[in-house]
Amino acid sequence: MLGTVLLLLALAKTACPSPASVASQRAEALKKLLEVFGMEDPPAPPTHFKQPPQYMVDLFNTVANADGVTKNPDILEGNTVRSFLDKTHSEEMRFLFVLSSVAKNEKILTAELHLFRLWPRVTEGPKRHHFCQVSVYQVLEKDKPDTPEGKKLLAARLVSLQTSGWEVFAITSAVRDWTEDESSNQGLLVTVQGLGGSPLDPPPLQFASGRGHHESKKPMLVLFTDDGRRGASLPTAGFPGGSHRSVPKLGRSRSTRSLDRLQPCQRHPLSVDFEEIGWSGWIISPRGYNAFHCKGSCPFPLGENMRPTNHATVQSIINALKLSEGVSTPCCVPDKLFSINLLYFDDDENVVLKQYDDMVAGSCGCH
């Protein structure tokens, strides 16, 4: 499908029909390309410059190369990671994350609350705590979050007062409740207590909540999900794969096409530039990637360097010996396909990392 999309874009650029026809072809191509990326419409770019969370940038760099190609398909849990910033901006330890952008068909695998721990306050006097207990609750009743029936414990652990940095709490059960029933999302409550649950006034530990902290340290909810869009595996591929048509060059002479047929099956560059197609406003990384495509002939006899399947070898023999009418030579197609990753802003200006299967031809063979 990607090959068809890029062919439509090429037609819109190189052919010379009417301006209305060119615009129509380009619109159709971009619509098809959006379908490849699982979208109906492109997200609107942020209204002002917005720095993506460093966690999401680091995660992208962990799972993908600079061009977005996946380093290892097993690193990422699921195929989508969504980040959400707190909507309350309150100094109190109450947090609310709006999950309207999560699709109904997405399976919630893991949900994490990320809180940045500030350097602890200096405690005067002979007694000084080295740890405190941090508890995260799902708010059940908005008006009674401090009562036993108004909250449900999600996670609790001892946190050191000797350092600063990120603390991550698993809150998967609460997020699954919220995605099943949006009205149940009354937010989260975080408490800081002494050992054994004793009260601390003032609490020696604080997290970066409210408006007085840098954007990079604000509370964040991170969801690892799977939308079910997985490719069909190719038998010889190390990554998920599938069928993939090459994109022919347009306007070539007959002699050039004949020369192509004489060239052996091999991989050729195929650049996808997100700025050129008008998507650079909402895609953070990469700026584009090389999809590659396969081109060339599969002449008899097929050598091992052409990576033929057994079926292609038999087809080549039948074709060469003219044992059956209408049997063509095998085709030069991708026999290994890699996934790519996009880091982008969605319609709500949340940052999403998404992995797409079957986007790069890793190698070519005769099939």
Side-chain angles (χ1 to χ4, degrees):
M1 181 174 181
L2 180 60
T4 303
V5 171
L6 297 175
L7 175 58
L8 286 170
L9 284 170
L11 281 166
K13 285 181 60 179
T14 60
C16 299
S18 68
S21 177
V22 171
S24 176
Q25 287 178 338
R26 181 176 177 83
E28 181 184 358
L30 291 176
K31 181 180 179 181
K32 292 292 185 183
L33 190 56
L34 281 170
E35 290 178 6
V36 172
F37 289 106
M39 302 176 185
E40 293 184 5
D41 298 295
T47 54
H48 60 280
F49 175 77
K50 191 171 184 180
Q51 192 74 29
Q54 190 61 43
Y55 174 82
M56 297 297 288
V57 174
D58 292 342
L59 186 60
F60 174 86
N61 292 330
T62 298
V63 303
N65 297 317
D67 59 358
V69 178
T70 304
K71 293 178 181 179
N72 185 325
D74 298 323
I75 293 177
L76 200 62
E77 183 181 10
N79 61 6
T80 307
V81 185
R82 296 182 180 274
S83 63
F84 304 85
L85 296 181
D86 171 48
K87 297 298 185 181
T88 65
H89 308 295
S90 172
E91 295 296 336
E92 300 177 0
M93 299 297 284
R94 292 281 302 271
F95 307 109
L96 180 66
F97 302 95
V98 178
L99 308 183
S100 56
S101 58
V102 179
K104 295 296 183 183
N105 64 328
E106 282 189 59
K107 181 180 179 181
I108 306 297
L109 303 176
T110 303
E112 300 175 342
L113 173 65
H114 291 224
L115 298 176
F116 188 82
R117 184 177 71 255
L118 302 173
W119 281 103
R121 294 169 173 159
V122 176
T123 303
E124 297 180 356
K127 186 177 181 180
R128 182 171 181 175
H129 297 274
H130 295 287
F131 293 90
C132 63
Q133 179 174 302
V134 176
S135 302
V136 180
Y137 296 90
Q138 177 182 356
V139 177
L140 302 178
E141 297 186 36
K142 186 176 181 180
D143 297 330
K144 300 188 294 183
D146 295 323
T147 63
E149 66 273 12
K151 62 185 178 182
K152 180 174 74 173
L153 182 64
L154 299 173
R157 68 165 174 269
L158 297 180
V159 175
S160 172
L161 296 176
Q162 309 301 312
T163 60
S164 69
W166 287 97
E167 293 287 340
V168 178
F169 301 89
I171 59 167
T172 308
S173 61
V175 172
R176 285 175 177 165
D177 289 346
W178 299 341
T179 54
E180 290 174 5
D181 179 9
E182 188 175 345
S183 64
S184 69
N185 184 0
Q186 302 298 322
L188 301 169
L189 171 68
V190 177
T191 63
V192 178
Q193 298 171 310
L195 299 180
S198 58
L200 297 175
D201 190 22
L205 176 65
Q206 284 189 313
F207 293 102
S209 60
R211 300 182 182 275
H213 301 280
H214 191 270
E215 187 86 9
S216 63
K217 294 181 172 59
K218 291 186 176 180
M220 181 172 63
L221 174 64
V222 178
L223 303 188
F224 294 84
T225 72
D226 197 303
D227 63 7
R229 291 168 56 90
R230 313 301 296 186
S233 297
L234 284 172
T236 58
F239 288 65
S243 62
H244 184 104
R245 293 183 180 273
S246 61
V247 178
K249 291 185 178 179
L250 304 176
R252 298 176 298 170
S253 66
R254 180 174 299 176
S255 60
T256 302
R257 292 195 297 270
S258 298
L259 183 62
D260 284 344
R261 286 194 290 269
L262 295 176
Q263 297 296 321
C265 175
Q266 58 188 305
R267 192 175 71 154
H268 296 266
L270 178 60
S271 175
V272 180
D273 189 326
F274 293 130
E275 183 174 2
E276 185 176 346
I277 61 179
W279 289 5
S280 60
W282 56 274
I283 293 181
I284 302 167
S285 290
R287 309 313 295 172
Y289 73 100
N290 195 339
F292 292 101
H293 73 287
C294 298
K295 181 177 65 176
S297 64
C298 295
F300 176 83
L302 295 178
E304 290 186 6
N305 62 314
M306 296 184 183
R307 305 165 64 91
T309 61
N310 289 337
H311 180 273
T313 300
V314 172
Q315 181 175 331
S316 177
I317 294 171
I318 298 297
N319 172 267
L321 298 180
K322 309 296 184 186
L323 298 179
S324 180
E325 292 184 4
V327 177
S328 62
T329 59
C331 297
C332 178
V333 296
D335 62 357
K336 182 179 290 186
L337 289 160
F338 297 152
S339 59
I340 66 164
N341 299 264
L342 289 190
L343 188 68
Y344 65 90
F345 291 104
D346 66 14
D347 281 321
D348 297 326
E349 299 188 4
N350 300 311
V351 175
V352 180
L353 171 62
K354 202 166 184 68
Q355 192 170 100
Y356 297 92
D357 291 340
D358 308 348
M359 299 297 287
V360 175
S363 61
C364 302
C366 292
H367 288 207

